[in-house]
Structure formats: structure tokens, C-alpha cells
Amino acid sequence: MPKSINFCEIAANVRAKRERRKDARPGELIEAALELFVEKGFAATRAEEVAKRAGVSKGTLFLYFSSKEELFKAVVRENLSGQFTEWNAMFDCFPGTTPEMLKFCMHSWWERIGSTKASGITKLMMSEAGNFPELAEFYKAEVIRPGNLLIQRMIQRGIDRGEFRPMDAQKAVYTVMAPMLFLALWTHSFGTLDDASSHLNPEEFLATQLDTLLNGLCAPKPAPAGGINAQGIMAASH
Amino acid sequence: MPKSINFCEIAANVRAKRERRKDARPGELIEAALELFVEKGFAATRAEEVAKRAGVSKGTLFLYFSSKEELFKAVVRENLSGQFTEWNAMFDCFPGTTPEMLKFCMHSWWERIGSTKASGITKLMMSEAGNFPELAEFYKAEVIRPGNLLIQRMIQRGIDRGEFRPMDAQKAVYTVMAPMLFLALWTHSFGTLDDASSHLNPEEFLATQLDTLLNGLCAPKPAPAGGINAQGIMAASH
Amino acid sequence: MPKSINFCEIAANVRAKRERRKDARPGELIEAALELFVEKGFAATRAEEVAKRAGVSKGTLFLYFSSKEELFKAVVRENLSGQFTEWNAMFDCFPGTTPEMLKFCMHSWWERIGSTKASGITKLMMSEAGNFPELAEFYKAEVIRPGNLLIQRMIQRGIDRGEFRPMDAQKAVYTVMAPMLFLALWTHSFGTLDDASSHLNPEEFLATQLDTLLNGLCAPKPAPAGGINAQGIMAASH
Amino acid sequence: MPKSINFCEIAANVRAKRERRKDARPGELIEAALELFVEKGFAATRAEEVAKRAGVSKGTLFLYFSSKEELFKAVVRENLSGQFTEWNAMFDCFPGTTPEMLKFCMHSWWERIGSTKASGITKLMMSEAGNFPELAEFYKAEVIRPGNLLIQRMIQRGIDRGEFRPMDAQKAVYTVMAPMLFLALWTHSFGTLDDASSHLNPEEFLATQLDTLLNGLCAPKPAPAGGINAQGIMAASH
DNA sequence: GATGAATGAGGCTTCATTCAT
DNA sequence: TATGAATGAAGCCTCATTCAT
């Protein structure tokens, strides 16, 4: 170990270290940007602040992202768009029933988005969509459209398999989205004010919503007396 | 021109005119500010624009509101409350069933808030709550808490009368609020981007949500075979 | 005078004073900008410096000119473009011969442009045309094309009246322009270095050039001994 | 991989390679800088771009030139002079008439300077002379003075040999220089904007100018009665 | 010597706020 | 009171220059 210096290894280390640092920069910046954007909004977040939180100088930020808007796009891509490839893949090989799929999706959303800082982006976009139309377009193309499509396909799958009653799948999409978006919005606005009247247990809320949702979507069981609802939807949330 | 002019009269006229309009000024400014804040957000709305839309000069705005933030507060104060006194009164003398009451409430909300500029305030508050904690507190006290309470009382009424299944009324509140808030937010953000994937028919959406909601809240009908849900919740939305 | 206060007059004075100030601003800024642009070039001139020289703050500059480029355009319009309307008018009613017209033009150019700070703009544009393509286009449209056209029409007039030999008028244009442009460029670059080898007497130079020029352009006099040129064209210019 | 590598040899190779290229570096950088300065001007040329075109990194540039300004000086130094030694030598043994010599000189200038990248330096110097007084001095000493002198000697030769009319040789110098400088400047500024009104055929232009020039300089042919030139064009300028 | 990631001063532009009239 | 010209702090972004590797 001491004397037998391996030059190749050293060189490799040096290179690796530099590259590791370089490669890490965008991620660190995106992480810092996510936090600040969510905390203070897009317009109110200063580029320099993002840089400082990432531990670099203002100039460095612009070395990796040509503008503040590009930085924001990167944040969206990293935290939201990315999920869809996986979700779409899941859709194609999901073994269970469609209600199960829906449940899985909402749980998955909660785990990866809803319960993380990423949910702040959803709120952010709704707040700032009016200003920054270009960002809004980007967000729609990268997040809303894919999300919409995925949900629509799920609903259609349910209908096709006779699990859901016949309906306009596109219109039902919003019924599915609404609880998740509401949750994201609430927790990032009034949810932070700790007060009984504005406190909401997200997981409980989601469970309730899912239950109600399925109740509305599902085809009536051919079933005996006492329909599916017998199990007490709201009760299920405890 | 010289002698026939009565300076005192002119001065009096001018004074009168000013005073006549004086009281109207803040209102006009608040009205203009509401529109612009809702349209473009707080940060993106320029003081000069507000003044122009109100038909006064920029300087005048600062005569009535010491800062842009104070103007914002005034906008929120001016446009809230008021509805609740009426709704609360209605609660005490509503003759019908609780599901009917719920339906009435949502319709009423849509008519007076959801479909009007006032819904913009909801969106506005959610967007800016983070930046104006003091305002958020105010909003919670004046709007959220009363609304919460009203809904909670309605649900409790339903439970007490055996119309709704037994449940935690406080928790169910969010299930009722969510669709309305979602609607207010969506229409004021992505709803404006005219695109199939972001288009949503508000009334249809509300009807669907109400249907689903009642389905979840209502106690199972003692009923015969083939549960109440047989009527096709989503179908009802057409 | 004492008691008989004329309110109208006072009001008029006040208004006049404010307006005089306001109306004067653009001119003062343009004047300051001309000086600085010529001294230091477009890119190297800071907006704040222009403002300071005009005795206002940075913000005020942008109150009158939406960008540095617009300021430059205003400088060009004020100092160069403006001349053409007059020159074009002169062209239509010039009573003398075409050589006389040419002479008049060059004198006029020297008086209003060549010998003033405005000649710096010519040099400036040549220097910075490569960068700022938009400015170059503007300059071409506002200055070069009109100038070109005017000279071309003069030459054509000379040809048509049999004063100049038949030739391609467009090509001859550069022969006329070259001395003026050269002069503008030289005086604003090496001309400032006071040194025998780079010193050039502008008026003498112009006279010489005009003489040579006419010699080249004019049709041979059918004439007897001692042609028209005998009188030393430029001599007249002193 | 481990033992068969001769580290000393590798190191030596690396060193050799570096040293071999070491001397070439400045030249490559200067070459690249010339091109870019001419294309885009001094201020608009970014150091990194120069480095990239020279095939090295930004850091390397500053290894050879302590600042961008020093690089600029080097460009001017490298690309000037040199021509004059040759032209001066030619002067001493030119066999033909002086008008022929003048024609030869202008052609030679066009071939070696005017039509090459080197003409860009002329334009560059004129553009930046104001910003780099020190460089301007240098340029005058190295280029302007020698050029001036050469032309002056030619004119004097013509006068002494009776080919040119008597005149102030120093003053006539600018008449000779102007077309060349104008050409260099025009082609590097508005000449690049492809537009009828700014298009100029350099060779045609030069031929025309030379013609006009000689017409003005030459002594009247012993010739028949009263030629057009009889009046002594240049003389007229006093 | 060579690299290129990092720096930070400096420029343009915006806009809430002030204040003389 | 009302005006709107003027201000200047603050933000985004560029790029010459430095320095650890």
C-alpha cells in the first residue's frame, strides 16, 4: 500500500473526484432550487440564493443552467416527469385488477411526490402558471398531459374489463386527480398553519378519497343483497 | 373670461368633486387590484397597472395604501366574509334533507364564489399564503374556520338524522371541500390554457363530485336488493 | 402685479416648466449618449454613465428609451436620418448645375455632420456593425440607403443633363461617398493622434477630393481653351 | 499493463510533445484571435472562443497572454510590418513610370492586404484606436508612418520626373490612401450586409479610383489644345 | 505546462416608492 | 388631494480571470 504507488489509480482518482464533483453539481443545484422554489415561489427565489444553498457561486449556477427558467424545468424533470416512464411501464404489466391499480398509483404518488418536497412543485405551478406562460406550457406537456393520459388509460382499462361502469373516461380523470392535487395544494398553503381547523391527515384523506372514488367508479356487483358500499366507505379510513 | 369666473365656486366644485370621489377611490383600487392579482399573481402585478385600471395615477394608489402588500391585504379583507352569515342563517332553517342541503351549498358556492372573480381570491391566497403568513392567518380565521365549521355542522346534522352513516365529521369536511377548492384552483391556473388535456367543465365536474360524495356519505338504504348505487354515479353527470 | 394674481398664468407656468423639463430630457440624454458613444463605443458606454452626464438617474434614462439600443437609434435619428428630409427637398428645387449641387452637398455634409460630433456615429457604426446586427440594419435603412439614393439621383441628374459623362450611377456612388466616410473615420481614429504623419486638414482634403471627383465625373467640355475647371472648384469653399 | 509500461518514456514523450507544440501555441492563438477580432470586434470576442478555435483551453490562453488586451497587441504586432520592407525595396528598383508604380502598389496592396484577412486589422485598429491609445501609437509607428512615407516618396518621384504636376506631396498622400482604407473598412462593416445598396465590387472600385486618381495627379499631356486636366486639380486645393 | 470548473464584479433592466409641483 | 417624473435598490445574466488538480 505505501510504496507501490499505482499511478493509474491516482490519476483515475483525481479524475473521478473532479468528475464526481462536477456531476454532482447539477443535482445539488436542483435540490437547492426545489427547496427554495417551493418555499418562496419561482419569482421570489433569487438565483444567487439557490447557488448559495448549493454551496457554489452565482456564476456556477449559470454554468449548468442557462437561465432560471431552465433551472426550474430541470427541477420539474428531475422530480415529476421522471416518474412517468416508470408508471407507464408499470401500467403495461400490472397483474391485478384496475381498482388495485388505482390504489397502487395513488400510494405510489403519495410516496414519491405527495409526501415529498416534490409536491410543492404542483402547488408552485398552479400559483405561477399565470405569470411564466412558457413554464406553464412546459409543465402541461411534461406533467399534466402524461398524468392525464395515464389516468385515462387506467379508467379505460377498468371499463374494458368490466370493473368500472361505462363512462366518459376523460371526464372521470379529474375525479381521480382532484384529491391528489388538493392534497398537494393544501399541505403547501394552509396545511402549514398548525391549527385544528386546517389540519388534515394526508394518508387518511387519501384513503377516504380512494374509497369514495372506487365506489363511484366501480360497476355494481352482480351481487347478492347489500351492495359493495356496505363496508362503510368513510369508516375504512380509520 | 377674467371677471366672470367665480373662483370660489370653482374651488368649491373641485373640492366637492374630489370629496365625492374620495370615498370611492379605495374601492375602485381594490376592485382593480383584485382583478389584476387574480389574473397575474401578486408579484407580477405592477402598482402602476392597478392605478391605471382604477383610473388614477400611480401616486394616488400610494396615497390610500402605504404599500403593495397593504393593498393586497385590503383586497382580501374586502372580498371575504359576508357569505358566511347568510349561509349560517340558511343552515338553521333549512327545511330539506341533509343531502339536499349539501347540494344546495355547493350550488350556492358555485354561483356566488366559484363562478365569479371571488374564486380568484381562494387561488390567490393559496398561492401567496407562504409569503404572507399574517394574511394567511387572517384568511384562516375569516374564511377557512367558518367554512370548516359550517360543513362540519352539516355533516353532523346528516349523521344525527340518520341520513349519513356514522363517521368522524371533522375528517369528512375535507372530502366536501376538496372538489370546490380544486375547481377554483384549476380554473385559475391550467384551466386557462386551452387544451383538451387541461379542459374541464366545472358544472359537470361539480355534479359528478357531489354524486360521488353523497354516495360515500350516505347511509345504506334499508332498501331492497340492488343497492342505491345502482343508479350510476358518473352517469348522473351527463 | 401684487394682488391681481393670475391663476391661469401660474398654472400655465407650472405646467410649462414641468413640460419643458420633461421635453428636454430626451434631447439631453441623446446629446449625452452621442458624446459617450463616440468617445467609447456602443458596447463600452454604460447606460448609467449616459444618465449621469445628462444629469439624471439611471432609471430616468429607461423612462424615455426602452433600451440602450433604442437610445442609440434615437441618436442616429436625431443626428443623421433627420438631415435627409432636408437634403431630399433641396434636391428637388436646386437651381444650379449638378457639379454645384455635389459641391453644395459635400459642404453641407461637412458643416452638419463631418465637422460635428455626429461624424463619430459613422465611425461608430462601422466599428460596431459586426456586433449588433440589428443596429447595423437600422443604420443601413435609415442612413446608408437614403444617402446612397440621394447621391445616385444626383449623379443621374448630371448624366441626364449632359454634365457628367455616361456611367453606371450606382457604382459611382461609392466614389462620392468614400472621401466623406474616410474623413469621418480617420478623424475619429488616427486623426486624434497629433502627429505630422497622421495629420490631415479636413477641408483641404475634401476640396481636393471634390476636385478630383468632378474631374472624373464630368463630361469633357466640347469647349475652347481653358475649361470650366480652370477656376479651382474648392477654392470657392473658403 | 502494470510492468510493461515505461513511465519515464511516457513522461518524456509527453514533455516532448508539449515542448514541440509549445512554440506553436502563441501563433495559433494569435491566428484565431485575428479571425475572431476581425469577425466580431474586440469587446464581443470572448476569450474562450479564441481558445477553442486555437484548439486549447481557456486557461492556456492566459498562460501565454496575461490579458485579452495583450492578446490584441500581439495580433497587431504579428500581422503588420513586413510588407513595408519589401515595398520599400521595390521602390528603389522599380523600372517603370510612376503611374505604373502607383498602379502596381495598389494592386499589390489589394493582393496582400485588401483581399485577405489582414485588411481586418486595419478596420480593427480604426475601431479600437480610441480605446487603446497605446496600441494606436504603436500602429502609427509601425504601419501608418511607413505607409505614408512610401506613398509620399512615390508622389515626389512622379513630380520630380515630370509625370505628376507639381503639388504638395504630403497632402496628396491621403488622396491615395483614402480609397484603400475606405475599401478595407467598408468590406468589413456594411459590405457584409448583402443588400444592393451596400454592395460594392472591390476591384472595380479600386480601378475606378485609380483612374480618377491618376487623372488628377498627372501632368497635362504636352498634348494638343486645352485638355480637360489643364487646370491642375490638386493645385486647386490651396 | 494544461485544463476547465469556479468565481464575482459589473452591466442592463424593472419597478415599488417618493416628492416637487 | 392628485399627479407623474424621478429615483435607486435589486435581480438576472455575462465573461475575464483564477486556481486546484
Side-chain angles (χ1 to χ4, degrees):
Chain A
M1 227 167 272
K3 287 181 180 174
S4 64
I5 294 181
N6 181 334
F7 283 97
C8 291
E9 203 175 285
I10 288 178
N13 273 346
V14 166
R15 207 173 337 109
K17 197 167 173 187
R18 205 164 27 211
E19 272 161 23
R20 210 181 312 125
R21 183 133 55 92
K22 188 195 170 182
D23 291 350
R25 285 280 179 264
E28 291 163 7
L29 284 162
I30 286 174
E31 176 70 14
L34 170 59
E35 284 172 18
L36 283 163
F37 284 154
V38 167
E39 270 173 40
K40 328 176 55 157
F42 178 76
T45 297
R46 284 178 302 128
E48 188 158 18
E49 219 172 339
V50 174
K52 193 190 294 171
R53 187 171 295 198
V56 299
S57 78
K58 190 177 29 169
T60 303
L61 192 161
F62 289 95
L63 216 55
Y64 292 99
F65 304 97
S66 61
S67 73
K68 204 172 134 185
E69 290 212 356
E70 283 305 319
L71 174 61
F72 181 81
K73 288 183 184 176
V75 169
V76 172
R77 278 197 204 92
E78 186 74 38
N79 290 281
L80 298 183
S81 322
Q83 307 290 347
F84 285 105
T85 53
E86 218 170 315
W87 279 332
N88 282 325
M90 173 278 297
F91 178 90
D92 293 325
C93 60
F94 193 82
T97 68
T98 307
E100 280 165 357
M101 188 194 268
L102 207 56
K103 187 177 177 184
F104 170 84
C105 270
M106 286 181 85
H107 280 173
S108 182
W109 174 84
W110 175 250
E111 259 174 39
R112 304 186 192 184
I113 312 253
S115 65
T116 73
K117 267 176 299 195
S119 63
I121 303 173
T122 305
K123 183 254 180 180
L124 184 56
M125 271 316 307
M126 285 199 151
S127 306
E128 314 253 17
N131 336 100
F132 316 105
E134 193 199 324
L135 284 187
E137 278 301 336
F138 169 82
Y139 187 79
K140 235 178 51 185
E142 292 272 319
V143 181
I144 295 186
R145 237 185 308 263
N148 221 295
L149 199 60
L150 179 60
I151 296 176
Q152 194 180 335
R153 284 168 71 209
M154 281 199 298
I155 294 172
Q156 195 59 51
R157 181 187 190 262
I159 297 170
D160 293 345
R161 290 170 53 131
E163 294 158 332
F164 292 165
R165 70 182 68 251
M167 69 186 92
D168 181 332
Q170 172 54 41
K171 272 167 189 151
V173 162
Y174 291 104
T175 306
V176 176
M177 278 173 57
M180 294 185 278
L181 292 188
F182 171 81
L183 200 49
L185 289 157
W186 188 267
T187 55
H188 283 281
S189 49
F190 306 117
T192 59
L193 307 170
D194 53 354
D195 178 305
S197 81
S198 58
H199 185 67
L200 160 156
N201 181 319
E203 313 213 21
E204 220 168 73
F205 172 80
L206 268 189
T208 305
Q209 292 291 327
L210 181 61
D211 214 17
T212 312
L213 205 57
L214 287 176
N215 204 13
L217 296 175
C218 285
K221 288 280 160 42
I228 176 184
N229 300 320
Q231 13 90 56
I233 290 174
M234 300 311 274
S237 68
H238 308 266
Chain B
M1 222 167 282
K3 288 181 179 172
S4 61
I5 293 180
N6 181 335
F7 278 104
C8 292
E9 194 178 312
I10 288 179
N13 274 345
V14 166
R15 211 175 328 110
K17 197 170 172 187
R18 269 195 202 130
E19 275 160 19
R20 217 180 308 124
R21 298 185 58 195
K22 178 180 162 183
D23 294 341
R25 281 289 147 70
E28 288 160 5
L29 283 162
I30 287 174
E31 176 70 12
L34 166 60
E35 286 172 17
L36 283 164
F37 283 155
V38 167
E39 268 173 41
K40 327 176 57 158
F42 178 75
T45 296
R46 285 180 303 132
E48 185 157 23
E49 223 171 336
V50 174
K52 192 192 294 173
R53 189 172 292 198
V56 300
S57 78
K58 197 170 23 166
T60 304
L61 192 161
F62 286 93
L63 218 54
Y64 290 102
F65 305 96
S66 63
S67 73
K68 200 172 140 186
E69 192 164 327
E70 281 305 319
L71 174 61
F72 181 78
K73 288 185 186 174
V75 167
V76 175
R77 281 196 199 92
E78 185 76 6
N79 287 278
L80 303 177
S81 7
Q83 304 292 348
F84 286 104
T85 54
E86 216 170 316
W87 279 330
N88 282 325
M90 173 277 298
F91 178 88
D92 293 325
C93 61
F94 193 83
T97 67
T98 308
E100 280 166 356
M101 187 193 269
L102 205 56
K103 189 175 175 185
F104 171 84
C105 270
M106 286 180 86
H107 281 173
S108 182
W109 173 85
W110 173 250
E111 259 174 37
R112 304 187 192 181
I113 312 261
S115 66
T116 73
K117 262 182 304 193
S119 65
I121 304 172
T122 306
K123 186 254 181 179
L124 195 53
M125 269 313 309
M126 281 199 153
S127 303
E128 312 282 357
N131 302 114
F132 300 93
E134 186 198 331
L135 248 189
E137 278 301 339
F138 171 83
Y139 186 80
K140 237 178 49 186
E142 293 275 317
V143 181
I144 296 186
R145 235 185 310 266
N148 220 296
L149 199 60
L150 179 61
I151 296 174
Q152 194 179 338
R153 285 169 68 210
M154 280 198 299
I155 295 171
Q156 195 58 53
R157 178 184 190 266
I159 296 170
D160 293 346
R161 289 168 55 130
E163 294 158 329
F164 293 164
R165 71 182 68 252
M167 68 185 91
D168 181 332
Q170 172 53 43
K171 273 166 189 152
V173 162
Y174 292 105
T175 305
V176 175
M177 278 174 57
M180 293 184 281
L181 292 188
F182 171 81
L183 199 50
L185 289 157
W186 187 268
T187 55
H188 283 283
S189 49
F190 305 115
T192 61
L193 305 173
D194 54 352
D195 180 304
S197 80
S198 57
H199 185 68
L200 161 155
N201 180 320
E203 313 213 20
E204 220 169 74
F205 172 80
L206 269 188
T208 305
Q209 291 292 326
L210 181 61
D211 211 18
T212 313
L213 206 57
L214 288 176
N215 205 11
L217 297 175
C218 285
K221 288 280 157 46
I228 177 184
N229 301 319
Q231 15 84 41
I233 288 173
M234 301 308 278
S237 67
H238 308 266
Chain C
M1 232 164 273
K3 287 181 178 174
S4 63
I5 295 180
N6 183 334
F7 284 97
C8 291
E9 202 176 284
I10 288 179
N13 274 345
V14 166
R15 208 176 332 110
K17 198 168 172 187
R18 199 157 41 206
E19 272 161 22
R20 212 181 311 125
R21 183 134 55 92
K22 187 194 170 181
D23 291 350
R25 285 280 178 266
E28 291 162 8
L29 283 162
I30 287 174
E31 176 69 15
L34 169 60
E35 285 172 18
L36 282 163
F37 283 155
V38 167
E39 270 174 39
K40 327 176 57 156
F42 178 76
T45 296
R46 283 180 301 127
E48 189 158 19
E49 218 172 339
V50 174
K52 193 190 295 171
R53 188 172 293 199
V56 299
S57 78
K58 192 174 28 167
T60 302
L61 191 160
F62 288 95
L63 216 56
Y64 293 99
F65 304 97
S66 62
S67 72
K68 204 172 137 186
E69 290 212 356
E70 283 305 318
L71 174 61
F72 181 81
K73 288 183 184 178
V75 169
V76 171
R77 278 198 203 92
E78 185 78 359
N79 290 281
L80 298 183
S81 321
Q83 306 292 347
F84 285 105
T85 53
E86 220 171 312
W87 279 331
N88 282 324
M90 172 277 299
F91 177 89
D92 293 324
C93 61
F94 193 83
T97 68
T98 307
E100 280 165 358
M101 187 195 267
L102 206 57
K103 185 178 174 182
F104 170 84
C105 271
M106 287 180 85
H107 279 171
S108 182
W109 174 86
W110 174 250
E111 259 174 37
R112 303 187 192 183
I113 312 253
S115 65
T116 74
K117 267 177 298 196
S119 63
I121 303 173
T122 304
K123 185 253 179 180
L124 184 56
M125 270 316 308
M126 284 198 151
S127 305
E128 314 254 16
N131 334 102
F132 316 104
E134 194 199 324
L135 284 187
E137 279 301 336
F138 169 81
Y139 187 79
K140 235 179 49 185
E142 291 272 319
V143 181
I144 295 186
R145 238 185 306 266
N148 220 297
L149 199 60
L150 179 61
I151 297 176
Q152 195 180 334
R153 285 169 70 209
M154 281 198 297
I155 295 172
Q156 195 58 52
R157 180 187 191 264
I159 297 171
D160 293 346
R161 289 168 54 129
E163 294 158 334
F164 292 165
R165 68 179 74 248
M167 68 185 93
D168 181 332
Q170 173 53 44
K171 272 168 189 150
V173 162
Y174 291 104
T175 305
V176 175
M177 279 174 57
M180 294 186 280
L181 292 189
F182 171 81
L183 199 50
L185 289 157
W186 187 266
T187 55
H188 282 281
S189 49
F190 306 115
T192 61
L193 307 171
D194 54 353
D195 178 304
S197 82
S198 59
H199 185 68
L200 159 156
N201 180 319
E203 311 211 21
E204 221 170 72
F205 172 79
L206 266 189
T208 305
Q209 290 292 325
L210 180 60
D211 212 13
T212 312
L213 204 57
L214 288 176
N215 203 11
L217 296 176
C218 284
K221 286 283 155 40
I228 177 188
N229 300 322
Q231 11 79 48
I233 289 174
M234 287 323 268
S237 70
H238 305 268
Chain D
M1 219 169 281
K3 288 181 179 173
S4 63
I5 294 182
N6 182 336
F7 279 102
C8 292
E9 193 179 313
I10 289 178
N13 273 346
V14 166
R15 213 176 326 111
K17 197 168 170 188
R18 269 195 202 131
E19 275 159 20
R20 217 181 306 126
R21 299 185 57 195
K22 176 180 165 184
D23 295 341
R25 282 287 148 72
E28 289 161 3
L29 283 162
I30 288 174
E31 176 71 10
L34 167 60
E35 286 172 17
L36 284 163
F37 283 154
V38 167
E39 269 174 40
K40 327 175 57 157
F42 178 75
T45 296
R46 284 181 303 131
E48 185 158 23
E49 223 171 336
V50 174
K52 191 193 295 174
R53 189 173 291 199
V56 300
S57 77
K58 197 171 24 165
T60 304
L61 191 160
F62 287 93
L63 217 55
Y64 290 103
F65 305 96
S66 63
S67 74
K68 202 172 139 186
E69 191 164 327
E70 281 305 318
L71 174 62
F72 182 77
K73 289 186 187 176
V75 167
V76 175
R77 281 195 199 92
E78 185 77 6
N79 286 279
L80 302 178
S81 12
Q83 302 293 348
F84 286 104
T85 53
E86 216 170 316
W87 279 330
N88 282 325
M90 172 278 298
F91 178 88
D92 294 325
C93 62
F94 192 82
T97 67
T98 307
E100 280 166 357
M101 187 193 267
L102 205 57
K103 188 177 176 184
F104 171 84
C105 270
M106 285 180 85
H107 280 172
S108 180
W109 173 85
W110 174 249
E111 260 174 36
R112 303 189 194 182
I113 312 260
S115 65
T116 75
K117 262 181 305 195
S119 64
I121 305 172
T122 305
K123 186 253 179 180
L124 195 54
M125 270 312 310
M126 281 198 152
S127 302
E128 312 281 357
N131 303 115
F132 300 93
E134 187 197 331
L135 247 188
E137 279 300 340
F138 172 82
Y139 185 79
K140 235 178 50 185
E142 292 276 317
V143 181
I144 296 185
R145 237 185 308 268
N148 220 297
L149 200 60
L150 178 60
I151 295 175
Q152 194 179 337
R153 285 169 69 209
M154 281 198 297
I155 294 171
Q156 196 58 52
R157 180 188 191 263
I159 296 170
D160 293 347
R161 289 169 54 130
E163 293 158 331
F164 292 165
R165 70 183 68 255
M167 68 185 92
D168 181 331
Q170 171 53 43
K171 273 167 188 152
V173 162
Y174 291 105
T175 305
V176 176
M177 278 175 57
M180 293 185 282
L181 291 188
F182 171 81
L183 201 48
L185 288 157
W186 188 267
T187 55
H188 283 283
S189 49
F190 305 114
T192 61
L193 306 173
D194 54 351
D195 179 305
S197 82
S198 57
H199 186 67
L200 159 156
N201 180 320
E203 313 213 19
E204 220 169 73
F205 172 79
L206 269 188
T208 305
Q209 291 292 326
L210 182 61
D211 212 22
T212 313
L213 205 58
L214 289 175
N215 204 13
L217 297 175
C218 285
K221 290 281 158 44
I228 178 181
N229 299 321
Q231 16 55 60
I233 289 174
M234 300 310 276
S237 69
H238 307 268

